[in-house]
Amino acid sequence: VHQIIAGFFIWKLASHWQASRLGSMIAIVIYLFGGFSTIQASKEWAVLGMAWLPGAFLGTEWWIAFRSRKGLALLAISLANLALIGHFQVAQITSLGLFIWVLTRVILMPALLRSIPGLILSIAIALLIASPQLAVSWKYANEVGANERSFSILAYYSYPLMNFTE
């Protein structure tokens, strides 16, 4: 089901970017059977989380292009699902990618600055949706001492250099 969701989001995103039908189909195949998704196919968190990565980008695009509340809702639901059923690395990669994407778009088209409050609202709603699980996870991390690690250790485990080849 999550692969179908991912394929649907990729299809809509490619269509939004005016790709042809063939281009959209190729995008689906590349996303579902390429690099990271193939390497992580045996891991439930990757399959579940990766369905929502293109949803987050699609929601952002719909908000920027059309000021559609549907876009903000999709962004919020996608980010919340990444936090709830995905994995922290997929959530971090998605968030970093969205940040770079929106920043680049705003630099190239300063008029898009007016989109930022809606995007921030959507992120806040996602955090609100995911907050019960995040609170429990934070409590557990405190109990086992996982919050007492140095920044260099946290940064290393967030984006280990040997994983960049994936």
Side-chain angles (χ1 to χ4, degrees):
V1 171
H2 280 82
Q3 296 293 61
I4 292 168
I5 292 169
F8 174 76
F9 287 149
I10 289 291
W11 176 270
K12 296 299 277 182
L13 188 58
S15 298
H16 175 78
W17 287 334
Q18 300 176 345
S20 66
R21 284 180 182 248
L22 178 61
S24 297
M25 294 295 283
I26 291 170
I28 292 169
V29 170
I30 289 170
Y31 186 73
L32 295 181
F33 301 107
F36 183 82
S37 55
T38 302
I39 291 168
Q40 306 295 345
S42 64
K43 298 176 180 136
E44 184 178 6
W45 61 261
V47 174
L48 298 176
M50 285 187 60
W52 298 99
L53 189 151
F57 276 88
L58 181 61
T60 301
E61 282 297 305
W62 281 347
W63 172 250
I64 288 174
F66 310 119
R67 296 289 185 273
S68 167
R69 289 185 183 148
K70 178 172 63 173
L72 290 181
L74 179 57
L75 176 59
I77 290 167
S78 296
L79 292 175
N81 276 321
L82 280 165
L84 293 171
I85 62 174
H87 188 271
F88 71 93
Q89 274 189 322
V90 178
Q92 285 179 330
I93 290 166
T94 303
S95 300
L96 180 62
L98 283 170
F99 177 77
I100 292 169
W101 179 249
V102 170
L103 181 65
T104 303
R105 301 268 316 263
V106 167
I107 289 170
L108 296 174
M109 296 178 279
L112 292 179
L113 270 173
R114 66 179 187 262
S115 311
I116 301 298
L119 296 175
I120 291 170
L121 174 64
S122 191
I123 293 167
I125 291 169
L127 287 171
L128 183 65
I129 293 169
S131 64
Q133 176 62 41
L134 295 175
V136 170
S137 296
W138 184 259
K139 183 178 185 246
Y140 176 71
N142 277 329
E143 287 176 8
V144 298
N147 295 335
E148 297 170 11
R149 295 176 288 176
S150 69
F151 176 76
S152 62
I153 294 293
L154 291 173
Y156 175 80
Y157 286 110
S158 296
Y159 298 105
L161 293 177
M162 53 279 228
N163 287 354
F164 283 159
T165 57
E166 290 181 12

